Amino acid sequence: MKPNELLLYNLNLYEQLKKLAEKQKDLISEDSEEQFFSLFAQREELQRKISAYDKKYRSLLGRAGNRPGDQKSRELISKTADIIRYILELDDEIETLIREKRDALLPELRRIRNGQKKGGFIFSAAHGGGTDYLSFDQRLRPDGQYSACHDRSR
């Protein structure tokens, strides 16, 4: 491959990376963690490809005496740099959104960690001349769903 072909290929990979970063930012707002992490894995794969093509490009440059290349090369490098800056800005925004979501969830996590219950009520029913009290609580399961628990006491 020629240097410009490698630069163009990397530019296309960076454009794909940019689209994935934009989708990730949208997914944070939608609470779609699974899709977010799936895109994260795709981004990592693209970054591996970019690294491989960067090495090839640098190798070609080394043989050419480290010259930056022709006008087309400089344009491709400039476009790539613009996309990289944009991706970095998006990543900063994503990090901020994640931090805000985490901070919003901390009080709930502390409450759960301290064993407090979400809701709850007492139910009583006549049973064989006595009264049984059933306490129903909602407990957060590891899968993020609430389950009803009960405790019989007299």
Side-chain angles (χ1 to χ4, degrees), residues 6-17:
L6 289 170
L7 289 173
L8 184 59
Y9 188 80
N10 256 4
L11 176 63
N12 290 329
L13 291 175
Y14 275 111
E15 286 174 348
Q16 291 175 40
L17 202 59

Side-chain angles (χ1 to χ4, degrees), residues 49-154:
K49 288 179 182 179
I50 288 168
S51 271
Y53 280 92
D54 274 346
K55 286 179 185 176
K56 288 180 185 179
Y57 178 74
R58 291 180 197 287
S59 173
L60 286 174
L61 274 186
R63 282 186 249 145
N66 267 340
R67 286 177 293 186
D70 59 9
Q71 181 63 30
K72 181 68 174 173
S73 293
R74 287 189 292 278
E75 287 174 14
L76 291 170
I77 291 169
S78 177
K79 286 180 183 180
T80 301
D82 289 343
I83 291 173
I84 291 170
R85 276 190 289 280
Y86 179 75
I87 291 170
L88 291 172
E89 289 171 10
L90 274 177
D91 284 345
D92 286 344
E93 291 174 28
I94 289 169
E95 186 178 325
T96 299
L97 290 170
I98 289 172
R99 195 175 314 111
E100 288 171 355
K101 283 191 145 232
R102 181 203 64 201
D103 292 347
L105 289 173
L106 280 176
E108 178 72 9
L109 293 173
R110 284 188 192 113
R111 189 181 64 72
I112 291 169
R113 186 182 67 216
N114 292 331
Q116 298 172 349
K117 302 167 191 143
K118 177 166 174 73
F121 59 90
I122 304 291
F123 174 79
S124 64
H127 179 72
T131 306
D132 285 339
Y133 294 93
L134 299 174
S135 172
F136 289 90
D137 301 317
Q138 291 183 331
R139 303 244 182 216
L140 185 63
R141 298 187 312 223
D143 64 2
Q145 301 296 315
Y146 285 99
S147 64
C149 303
H150 68 278
D151 175 29
R152 286 186 167 249
S153 59
R154 284 200 117 182

Side-chain angles (χ1 to χ4, degrees), residues 17 39-50:
L17 202 59
L39 293 179
F40 186 78
Q42 290 176 41
R43 284 182 66 178
E44 286 181 329
E45 180 59 31
L46 285 174
Q47 288 170 330
R48 279 191 286 279
K49 288 179 182 179
I50 288 168

